[in-house]
Structures are given as structure tokens and as C-alpha cells.
Amino acid sequence: MIIAIDGTAASGKGSLAKNLSKSLNLHHLDSGIFYRVLAYQAIKLKINNKIDLIELSNKLSINKIIEIKKIKSENLRSSLISKKSSQIAPDKNIRKALVKLQREYVNQFLISHDGVVIDGRDIGTIVFPNADFKFYLDADIKIRAERRTQELIHLNYEVIYQDVLNDLICRDKRDKNRIEGPLIIAKDAFYIDTGNKSEEFVLQKALKFIKSF
Ligand code: DC
């Protein structure tokens, strides 16, 4: 079984994906990590031009992503990496390479697991258009900015609400307006407004939807 969760940054996709995977005993894959690992490597190797970035994305492997995620897990959430990953994500060739890796990763898991919950921006539309269940999450941008500010403070980053809000405005624009894999609501997705709702409320709403089939 594949459950696809798409939505805006800080809409609670990651939390729902994690909670659903626990409840249903499925594996959770955060597809944003693929973009964040590429951004991390690009910064580390001082790669800025498009051709080299595409080459780097083609060389990326599932093992490398797992390795970097393990040792750099908190760094990958920094504002610098968030910004860089959002800047590199619109490129057609980079998306092609990372979508291929995401499919490989999930298909590997499906051999030995009952299913995978995967969250991102284009999962229900591009990566797995035939997913068994699709969700689209969103919330008012001010609520999302407050949420993300608290998350980053919790990870010991010095951030202020206004900067996080401005950053989310830019990221929403890039996510929704890019030509390749833009953030759109799949026509068969179940929409959840997560603003001022608890994680538990959102989880129960998603479970009710799944169990209605
Ligand atoms: O979900 P996230 O904030 O960790 O994602 C980091 C960046 O990667 C974000 O700017 C959008 C991009 N992304 C994407 O374009 N497609 C995905 N499936 C997942 C993330």
C-alpha cells in the first residue's frame, strides 16, 4: 500500500506521515530529505552551477541519502538548507533524478513491508499517481510560520517569526509556480486544513478516511 501526503511547507505533512505510519505499521519516507541532502552536498562541495548540480543529483544514491540523513539529521533542517533545497527543487533534471530515487526506495521497501507513507509536494501527482490513498494538507501561512518557528527554536536555531514567515512565502511561491512537479491538489486527494488542529485530530481524520474504503 502507498499513502501519498502532499502539502505546503510546515502544514503538518511530516507529522501526519509519521503518525499514520505508526498507526498502520507502515514505513515512513520523507521525500523532502532527498532535496535537503542534495542541497547539503551542494553547499559542502561549493557547487552552484546548474550542470554540476544536475551531475551531483545523478550521482546521488539511496545509501548516500541514508548515510547523510543519519549523521546530519538536524543540520538538514537549517534555514540555509531549507532555502537551498527550495532553490534547486524546480530544476527538471534534478527532479527527474530524485523522483527516480524515491520510486526505487519505495519499491525496495514494498518487497518486505506492507506499505509506505510518503510525504512531499508531488507524491500523489507525479511520483506515485496511483497511490492507494492521497492527502493534501494546508493551513493559514501565519499558523504554519508560528509552527515552524517553534520547531526551529526547539532544535536550538536562533530564528525570528518574521524571517520564517517571509521564507515560507517564498517557498510556497516556488513550490506552486514551478513548471516541473508543482505543488497542486491531486483531484483524488482528501484535503485537510490543519490550522489550529492537533496532530491527533488530523491523524483521526485521515484514519477515518482510509477506513471508509
Ligand atoms: O518538505 P521539505 O520542506 O523538507 O522539502 C524541502 C524542499 O524540497 C522544499 O523546498 C520543496 C522540495 N520538495 C519538492 O520539491 N518535492 C518533494 N516531493 C519534496 C520536497
Side-chain angles (χ1 to χ4, degrees), residues 6 9-10 13 30-33 35-36 77 81-83 85-87 89-90 95 102 119-123 127 148 171 175 178 181:
D6 290 307
K13 306 180 298 294
D30 168 7
S31 66
I33 287 295
Y35 294 86
R36 287 178 183 270
R77 295 271 148 217
I81 303 274
S82 295
K83 197 168 172 189
S85 58
S86 172
Q87 286 167 345
R95 296 198 75 79
Q102 288 161 38
D119 68 286
R121 305 292 190 291
D122 58 345
I123 308 304
V127 189
R148 184 51 50 93
R171 292 178 66 197
D175 282 339
R178 63 174 169 246

Side-chain angles (χ1 to χ4, degrees), residues 140-185:
D140 181 88
I141 194 154
K142 289 184 182 152
I143 297 176
R144 290 189 283 127
E146 185 54 43
R147 244 184 231 161
R148 184 51 50 93
T149 306
Q150 294 309 324
E151 263 172 38
L152 290 168
I153 289 173
H154 189 72
L155 289 173
N156 289 326
Y157 286 112
E158 279 183 28
V159 288
I160 54 167
Y161 168 83
Q162 195 57 44
D163 290 344
V164 175
L165 176 65
N166 292 340
D167 189 47
L168 282 185
I169 292 170
C170 293
R171 292 178 66 197
D172 276 4
K173 239 186 229 162
R174 283 197 208 106
D175 282 339
K176 291 178 179 175
N177 297 326
R178 63 174 169 246
I179 294 165
E180 288 300 315
L183 174 63
I184 49 170
I185 310 177

